[in-house]
Amino acid sequence: MTAPKTHPGRTGSRGRIDKREAILAAAFRVFARKGFANACVKDIAAEAKVAKPTIYSHLDDKDALFREAMAAAAEGVSATSAAAVEGLRHPGEDLEAAFGTAARLLLDSCLTESSHALRRLTYAELPRFPELLDTVRGALNGRLVDDLAGHVAMLSVGGRLRVGDPVLAAEQFVSLITGPMEICSAMGTREVTAEKAAEVASAAVTTFLAAYGTD
Amino acid sequence: MTAPKTHPGRTGSRGRIDKREAILAAAFRVFARKGFANACVKDIAAEAKVAKPTIYSHLDDKDALFREAMAAAAEGVSATSAAAVEGLRHPGEDLEAAFGTAARLLLDSCLTESSHALRRLTYAELPRFPELLDTVRGALNGRLVDDLAGHVAMLSVGGRLRVGDPVLAAEQFVSLITGPMEICSAMGTREVTAEKAAEVASAAVTTFLAAYGTD
Amino acid sequence: MTAPKTHPGRTGSRGRIDKREAILAAAFRVFARKGFANACVKDIAAEAKVAKPTIYSHLDDKDALFREAMAAAAEGVSATSAAAVEGLRHPGEDLEAAFGTAARLLLDSCLTESSHALRRLTYAELPRFPELLDTVRGALNGRLVDDLAGHVAMLSVGGRLRVGDPVLAAEQFVSLITGPMEICSAMGTREVTAEKAAEVASAAVTTFLAAYGTD
Amino acid sequence: MTAPKTHPGRTGSRGRIDKREAILAAAFRVFARKGFANACVKDIAAEAKVAKPTIYSHLDDKDALFREAMAAAAEGVSATSAAAVEGLRHPGEDLEAAFGTAARLLLDSCLTESSHALRRLTYAELPRFPELLDTVRGALNGRLVDDLAGHVAMLSVGGRLRVGDPVLAAEQFVSLITGPMEICSAMGTREVTAEKAAEVASAAVTTFLAAYGTD
DNA sequence: TATGAATGAGCGTTCATTCAT
DNA sequence: GATGAATGAACGCTCATTCAT
């Protein structure tokens, strides 16, 4: 029998996989709360409501637990941030409105708790986990910039933008949003008012289109 | 003999202060290498070539050691980054050239190993050391943005820029430089070619002036 | 097979309790040997033939270890010392013989190594562990004096003793035995000969009956 | 020049000896407050208002510091407790009054803070400092018992007491006072009312004279 | 398979002690 | 002689990891 069973049954391996995912999710929550070194496996086991050795039966050691938890969390964040610029694939008539929507969605995804935690943990543990760059950063900015650069290139080919280096332009657009946002959210430790967010998004679009627009 | 001797114990308490600074510098290096939690005091002592208790005679505990080391490092970085935009106070005839110079200087200061480490550690440890915002962020971006916003406002008043919100514009300028730079330097873990740097700086200036220039 | 097995893990949680008691016993031995502050947990672990963390899995910290070890030891000593004066409840014809027996039993229980150590540690650590008064002193003298005072009161009511304050009289009887004994055993650090012990017991009874007897 | 100078002058060695005594007194206070192991030399230096190495120039190490401080304190306590029974050398007409006075003085000297501290420290550190028995116990009880035994013997020879073993009788007298006192002062941690003290002293004399008196 | 119990290794911190001044 | 500064050694405690069940 090959069809995967989604209900947590004892037959098949779906139940085991569910538990693994529950462990990874719990691990990410605890790591986000305490950081890697200060999070202890006991806490993670408690958060996941399993016994400590159960974790070791699913993951090799604490390092692997961290890597996998980060990768899983990155996958989640990646999807929403990439979705934010998806509307630019077919922007319709009003280009400014399309970029405005993208900017606000992107901003929302950046203000997520998970997003901040992911960024923070990556920064913190990069020295010990250099491979986080490939698993997390790709998820955080890499894919986003790539997708966006693609859309920008298409728009440039279509004559609706005038862009020399689409990748650089995409990086600038992302930076115009995340940069001021990080500055005023104090790296995720302060609430950002909706007004300020709207202002940042609007200014980013204005600046971006002033530089690359054709109208 | 009037020249200050570095010999410990002579010239008042200079020797003690020297050692304190050596400890803080060593601490920053080790923290940068391993992160806060993974760095152990023994390593820092070895790096500073002192015994562990000597550290505790200068600083209260590991937390204080971290705070002071960060503050000292921030002080160093702050000066060079603030100096980068100093040329914009009297930009002369060629505004683009002035911003170009500022961009390159700023970029240089951001590509420093210290700067990356400072940024990474601040981001990583903000939840546990909220006061880093005041000591480090002020030094990293706060002062820089403030100075730059002042220059932008002056230029706007003088009619050479057209800026609604000088602070936001300054944030954008800084973001247009540091954002793409961080994306492609991978948070300071990858070398950035001089060409790429020049390209980023140039594009930042172009975008910024396209949005806010008056020519 | 119904006999309880000492094999750890079998028979419910008996093994764990056994280990806890072994740890407490070992702790008391080490504390008795070195005093509280000079005893280190490593030594106790070695004495109990367990690893250090095992101790911390049974007891919260060194203080708790001390408290529990003292309480357990006190429980043991309490029983024998209280039993010593039990014969005075029904002294029979020869009152002097009954007191003599009680005196010798009491003396034996006071000359125990455990008893000395308990006394010494309690005295030494009372300022830091004030609750020892309730857990240990009650076991050492409190219960003994109370029981004895009760017997003395009964004998007084029965006309075989003439006692104004039974509690004070009981304290005196106990002091007439333990006082000289502590003086010449040098707080448990010197051997006391059987002759000297008999002499002290006999003299205590003589003095006590001279003061409170009715013959 | 041979006459000792009592004023702390630079000539002669009296100043040095004064400082040594100040250090020992300070050490005893700190040891009494914290116990041997928890008292650190730095605290003692602060209490004595000297620098740490100064202490090491007067005493070899912390152990010696403890021994000497204990010996000095013992000397002080010994004098007052021995003086308490001095009146029994020439008791005058009223023997009961003379013993009553001695009992009260002895009791006062036992209720001293120094006396309790001395006893507590001796108990606590006997395992590590066995020689405390000779320096302290001699001062605490030994000399007292010896002196008292002498007086008792004299009184026995004079026909005013009927005593077989003067040393044991002396031990009993001391025990009749200190025993109940320690029981109800809870080893120096509880205040004892003047009434209770008087009661104990009076009962001790009564019991003692009932046993050994000739009236 | 999942778990309670046990452990080896390590960390932050303190302190007695010693130089150089 | 007295002191500020420095250190080697130790201790309490925690945690990732592994057996035995």
Side-chain angles (χ1 to χ4, degrees):
Chain A
M1 184 236 282
T2 58
K5 303 179 70 166
T6 56
H7 66 85
R10 283 177 46 260
T11 56
S13 57
R14 187 62 229 186
R16 182 166 176 77
I17 290 181
D18 284 348
K19 184 165 285 188
R20 181 192 159 95
E21 284 173 0
I23 289 174
L24 291 182
F28 182 73
R29 284 194 299 274
V30 175
F31 285 136
R33 265 200 308 271
K34 306 200 179 187
F36 174 73
N38 287 97
C40 62
V41 178
K42 191 177 65 177
D43 295 346
I44 294 172
E47 176 95 15
K49 287 171 182 162
V50 297
K52 229 188 319 180
T54 304
I55 291 183
Y56 283 90
S57 83
H58 284 266
L59 283 313
D60 275 352
D61 56 7
K62 195 190 180 187
D63 284 21
L65 180 57
F66 181 67
R67 268 188 282 263
E68 301 287 320
M70 290 291 276
E75 199 53 38
V77 171
S78 176
T80 71
S81 79
V85 298
E86 192 57 24
L88 290 173
R89 187 184 302 275
H90 304 295
E93 288 289 317
D94 191 343
L95 197 60
E96 185 167 359
F99 270 100
T101 303
R104 277 188 298 276
L105 288 175
L106 187 52
L107 213 126
D108 286 349
S109 90
C110 284
L111 292 176
T112 302
E113 183 57 41
S114 300
S115 176
H116 281 308
L118 204 53
R119 230 175 282 264
R120 203 186 317 128
L121 286 169
T122 305
Y123 271 125
E125 304 303 334
L126 251 187
R128 264 170 68 93
F129 297 91
E131 69 280 16
L132 286 182
L133 273 185
D134 299 327
T135 55
V136 177
R137 277 308 301 278
L140 274 182
N141 281 332
R143 181 175 156 193
L144 172 65
V145 167
D146 287 349
D147 286 3
L148 181 55
H151 302 152
V152 164
M154 292 299 291
L155 292 170
S156 190
V157 167
R160 305 189 63 183
L161 291 179
R162 191 180 303 114
V163 171
D165 182 341
V167 169
L168 185 49
E171 288 173 357
Q172 285 191 332
F173 184 69
V174 172
S175 299
L176 282 171
I177 292 171
T178 58
M181 194 47 46
E182 287 197 3
I183 289 177
C184 82
S185 82
M187 298 170 170
T189 61
R190 280 187 198 155
E191 279 301 310
V192 175
T193 67
E195 288 82 18
K196 176 70 182 175
E199 194 181 341
V200 166
S202 154
V205 172
T206 302
T207 297
F208 184 77
L209 291 183
Y212 297 114
T214 56
D215 306 339
Chain B
M1 180 231 289
T2 57
K5 299 182 65 170
T6 56
H7 194 65
R10 190 61 199 327
T11 70
S13 58
R14 184 64 227 182
R16 183 165 175 78
I17 291 181
D18 283 349
K19 185 159 286 188
R20 182 191 159 96
E21 284 172 2
I23 289 173
L24 292 182
F28 182 72
R29 265 174 276 143
V30 174
F31 284 136
R33 220 151 47 220
K34 305 202 178 185
F36 172 74
N38 295 106
C40 66
V41 179
K42 190 178 63 176
D43 295 346
I44 294 172
E47 175 94 15
K49 286 174 184 157
V50 297
K52 230 186 323 177
T54 303
I55 291 182
Y56 284 91
S57 86
H58 285 265
L59 284 314
D60 275 350
D61 53 8
K62 195 189 177 188
D63 283 23
L65 180 57
F66 182 66
R67 268 189 283 263
E68 300 286 323
M70 291 291 277
E75 198 54 36
V77 171
S78 176
T80 71
S81 80
V85 297
E86 192 56 25
L88 290 173
R89 188 183 302 275
H90 304 296
E93 288 289 318
D94 191 344
L95 198 59
E96 185 167 359
F99 271 98
T101 303
R104 273 188 300 276
L105 289 175
L106 187 51
L107 214 127
D108 286 349
S109 90
C110 284
L111 288 177
T112 303
E113 183 58 39
S114 301
S115 176
H116 281 307
L118 205 53
R119 227 174 283 267
R120 205 181 328 124
L121 285 169
T122 304
Y123 215 142
E125 304 302 337
L126 247 188
R128 267 168 67 92
F129 297 91
E131 68 280 15
L132 286 182
L133 269 187
D134 298 328
T135 53
V136 176
R137 277 305 306 279
L140 272 184
N141 282 331
R143 182 175 155 193
L144 172 64
V145 166
D146 287 350
D147 287 2
L148 181 55
H151 302 153
V152 165
M154 292 298 292
L155 292 170
S156 190
V157 167
R160 305 189 62 184
L161 291 178
R162 191 182 303 116
V163 170
D165 182 341
V167 169
L168 184 51
E171 288 173 359
Q172 285 190 334
F173 184 70
V174 172
S175 298
L176 281 171
I177 292 170
T178 59
M181 196 47 47
E182 285 197 5
I183 290 177
C184 80
S185 80
M187 298 168 173
T189 61
R190 281 186 197 154
E191 277 302 311
V192 175
T193 66
E195 288 82 20
K196 177 70 181 177
E199 196 181 341
V200 165
S202 153
V205 172
T206 303
T207 297
F208 184 78
L209 290 183
Y212 297 114
T214 55
D215 304 338
Chain C
M1 181 235 285
T2 57
K5 299 182 65 170
T6 56
H7 193 65
R10 189 63 201 325
T11 70
S13 59
R14 184 64 227 181
R16 183 164 175 79
I17 291 180
D18 283 349
K19 184 158 286 188
R20 181 190 159 97
E21 285 173 1
I23 288 173
L24 292 181
F28 182 72
R29 263 173 277 139
V30 175
F31 285 136
R33 217 148 51 218
K34 305 203 180 186
F36 173 75
N38 294 107
C40 67
V41 178
K42 191 177 65 177
D43 295 347
I44 295 173
E47 176 94 14
K49 286 175 184 159
V50 297
K52 229 190 315 179
T54 303
I55 291 182
Y56 284 93
S57 86
H58 286 265
L59 285 312
D60 274 352
D61 54 8
K62 196 188 176 188
D63 283 21
L65 180 57
F66 182 67
R67 269 189 283 262
E68 299 287 322
M70 290 291 277
E75 199 52 37
V77 171
S78 177
T80 71
S81 81
V85 298
E86 193 56 27
L88 290 173
R89 187 183 303 274
H90 305 294
E93 289 289 318
D94 190 344
L95 197 60
E96 183 166 0
F99 272 99
T101 302
R104 273 189 300 277
L105 289 176
L106 187 51
L107 214 124
D108 285 348
S109 91
C110 284
L111 287 177
T112 302
E113 183 57 40
S114 300
S115 177
H116 281 307
L118 205 53
R119 228 173 282 265
R120 203 178 331 121
L121 285 170
T122 303
Y123 216 141
E125 305 302 336
L126 247 190
R128 266 168 68 90
F129 296 92
E131 68 278 15
L132 287 182
L133 268 186
D134 299 327
T135 53
V136 176
R137 278 302 309 278
L140 273 184
N141 280 335
R143 183 174 156 194
L144 172 65
V145 166
D146 287 349
D147 286 2
L148 181 54
H151 303 153
V152 165
M154 292 298 292
L155 292 169
S156 190
V157 167
R160 305 190 59 186
L161 290 179
R162 190 180 305 116
V163 171
D165 181 343
V167 170
L168 184 51
E171 288 174 358
Q172 284 190 334
F173 183 69
V174 172
S175 298
L176 281 171
I177 292 170
T178 59
M181 194 46 47
E182 286 198 5
I183 289 176
C184 81
S185 81
M187 298 170 175
T189 61
R190 282 187 197 152
E191 278 302 311
V192 175
T193 66
E195 289 80 20
K196 175 71 181 176
E199 195 181 340
V200 165
S202 153
V205 172
T206 304
T207 297
F208 184 80
L209 290 182
Y212 298 114
T214 56
D215 304 337
Chain D
M1 180 230 287
T2 56
K5 303 181 70 164
T6 55
H7 64 85
R10 282 171 52 260
T11 56
S13 59
R14 185 64 225 184
R16 181 163 176 81
I17 290 181
D18 284 348
K19 184 164 285 187
R20 179 190 162 96
E21 284 172 2
I23 289 174
L24 292 182
F28 182 72
R29 284 194 299 273
V30 174
F31 285 137
R33 263 199 311 271
K34 307 199 177 188
F36 174 73
N38 288 98
C40 61
V41 178
K42 190 177 65 176
D43 295 346
I44 294 172
E47 176 96 12
K49 289 175 182 158
V50 298
K52 231 189 314 177
T54 303
I55 293 183
Y56 283 91
S57 83
H58 284 266
L59 284 312
D60 274 352
D61 55 8
K62 195 188 177 188
D63 285 20
L65 180 56
F66 182 67
R67 269 188 283 263
E68 300 289 321
M70 289 291 277
E75 199 51 38
V77 172
S78 176
T80 72
S81 79
V85 298
E86 192 55 26
L88 290 172
R89 186 183 304 273
H90 304 295
E93 289 287 319
D94 191 344
L95 198 58
E96 185 166 1
F99 270 99
T101 302
R104 274 189 300 277
L105 289 176
L106 187 50
L107 214 126
D108 286 347
S109 90
C110 283
L111 290 177
T112 301
E113 183 58 40
S114 300
S115 175
H116 282 307
L118 204 53
R119 228 176 283 263
R120 201 185 320 127
L121 286 169
T122 305
Y123 270 126
E125 305 303 335
L126 250 187
R128 266 170 66 94
F129 296 92
E131 69 278 17
L132 286 181
L133 273 184
D134 299 328
T135 54
V136 176
R137 278 307 303 276
L140 274 183
N141 281 331
R143 180 175 157 196
L144 172 66
V145 167
D146 286 350
D147 285 3
L148 181 56
H151 303 154
V152 165
M154 292 299 291
L155 292 168
S156 191
V157 167
R160 306 189 58 184
L161 291 178
R162 190 182 305 115
V163 171
D165 182 342
V167 169
L168 184 49
E171 288 173 356
Q172 285 191 334
F173 183 69
V174 172
S175 299
L176 282 171
I177 292 170
T178 59
M181 194 47 48
E182 287 197 3
I183 290 178
C184 81
S185 82
M187 297 169 172
T189 61
R190 280 188 197 154
E191 279 301 311
V192 175
T193 66
E195 288 82 20
K196 177 70 183 177
E199 193 181 342
V200 166
S202 152
V205 172
T206 305
T207 296
F208 183 79
L209 290 183
Y212 298 114
T214 55
D215 305 337

